[in-house]
Amino acid sequence: AGEALRIQIEEKKDKAAVIIVDAFRFELGKRLVELINEGQTSTVAMVRPCRAPLPTTTELGMAYALPGLAPDLRISVDPQKGWAVFAEGFDQNLSLAESRRKWLTKVLGVKPSHILAAEDAGKTGFKVPDGKLIFLFGDEFDTQGHDGELALSGAEVYLDRYINIIRKLRDSGYGRIFLTTDHGYFHYMPGDHEVIEKPEGNIRWITRRAAVGKDLKHKTALRTAIAGSDLECLTPRSINT
């Protein structure tokens, strides 16, 4: 996603706004585009798929969503300390939100005042700063998805928030607006009969969606390498586990 974003940003010199939404699933992106295009005389928004890193977790995905970082990332994980993501020429752990914001200011040259919370930007009366490039971050779909609220209430209220933010950005002179995400996933709670055994081996990190480590063993899980590391990832073959 970050490589696609870099190409788009560098394509033109006019003002651009980047919105990075945590755990924004692909079908929600398609729905957002439909809502934006409703009532327009021509298509003004489109959606494109991008690859997210495996495993699908914010600590990795957010670094890969930043423009121009992907080829240089070095990845490791410690069972106690968690993920470590480092880029060439930058000595801070990019798995941390604070470090990612410092990278935007120190390396990409984005002013601190031009890194915004999407929730604030969506408030009535909020004034969007004027600049060549601004970044907005939102986590509604991640936090509400974990709590199960989206399963009850749906996503429309949050999609409306982002439509209003996009309109506000457009009215503030940002002719190019990009919305991207760190990862998406299917959210499903399996029944007891659907749960399969966990992988075995030198496990460094594990969730219900994947296991990461070395010399991992499992009968059916998909095995992939983790770019920028000597680690492997095992992903269950069913979205139900």
Side-chain angles (χ1 to χ4, degrees):
E3 280 301 286
L5 187 58
R6 178 189 63 81
I7 293 170
Q8 292 289 334
I9 290 174
E10 293 177 353
E11 187 177 32
K12 297 180 181 179
K13 299 297 184 183
D14 51 336
K15 294 167 60 173
V18 177
I19 309 170
I20 300 181
V21 185
D22 198 345
F24 194 58
R25 301 194 309 273
F26 189 67
E27 82 275 8
L28 292 180
K30 293 172 69 175
R31 175 63 180 149
L32 182 64
V33 164
E34 291 173 358
L35 293 170
I36 293 172
N37 285 328
E38 279 183 4
Q40 300 290 333
T41 56
S42 61
T43 299
V44 297
M46 65 186 70
V47 62
R48 288 175 48 194
C50 289
R51 287 182 300 171
L54 291 175
T56 56
T57 182
T58 299
E59 292 89 343
L60 286 186
M62 280 295 181
Y64 276 98
L66 296 177
L69 267 180
D72 298 327
L73 292 178
R74 304 186 308 277
I75 311 297
S76 63
V77 65
D78 180 272
Q80 280 74 45
K81 298 179 181 179
W83 291 96
V85 182
F86 288 94
E88 191 72 28
F90 190 72
D91 62 358
Q92 297 191 35
N93 184 0
L94 291 165
S95 73
L96 305 175
E98 181 182 356
S99 297
R100 294 191 293 269
R101 283 159 175 73
K102 287 182 179 178
W103 183 88
L104 287 174
T105 58
K106 292 184 177 181
V107 179
L108 207 61
V110 180
K111 295 180 180 179
S113 59
H114 291 174
I115 302 174
L116 314 172
E119 184 176 3
D120 292 337
K123 293 177 180 177
T124 302
F126 183 89
K127 183 173 176 57
V128 176
D130 183 36
K132 181 181 177 182
L133 180 63
I134 66 171
F135 278 77
L136 301 90
F137 290 87
D139 63 358
E140 301 92 335
F141 297 95
D142 183 62
T143 56
Q144 300 305 314
H146 282 297
D147 294 339
E149 183 174 317
L150 292 182
L152 298 174
S153 64
E156 295 298 311
V157 64
Y158 299 114
L159 293 176
D160 286 343
R161 172 184 291 175
Y162 281 96
I163 289 173
N164 291 332
I165 290 173
I166 289 169
R167 287 173 179 160
K168 183 178 289 188
L169 290 168
R170 180 196 60 197
D171 294 343
S172 299
Y174 290 93
R176 297 189 301 148
I177 302 168
F178 307 103
L179 188 148
T180 189
T181 189
D182 54 345
H183 67 91
Y185 57 88
F186 295 96
H187 190 80
Y188 182 86
M189 292 301 293
D192 292 341
H193 67 286
E194 296 174 297
V195 176
I196 59 177
E197 69 277 6
K198 300 289 186 182
E200 297 178 350
N202 182 5
I203 296 176
R204 307 282 183 86
W205 181 89
I206 191 167
T207 70
R208 59 185 173 167
R209 299 199 299 273
V212 171
K214 295 182 178 181
D215 302 320
L216 301 181
K217 298 178 176 62
H218 195 270
K219 293 180 180 178
T220 61
L222 297 171
R223 185 184 307 271
T224 55
I226 297 180
S229 76
D230 58 354
L231 300 168
E232 59 184 351
C233 176
L234 292 189
T235 304
R237 285 182 180 270
S238 170
I239 63 169
N240 294 340
T241 46

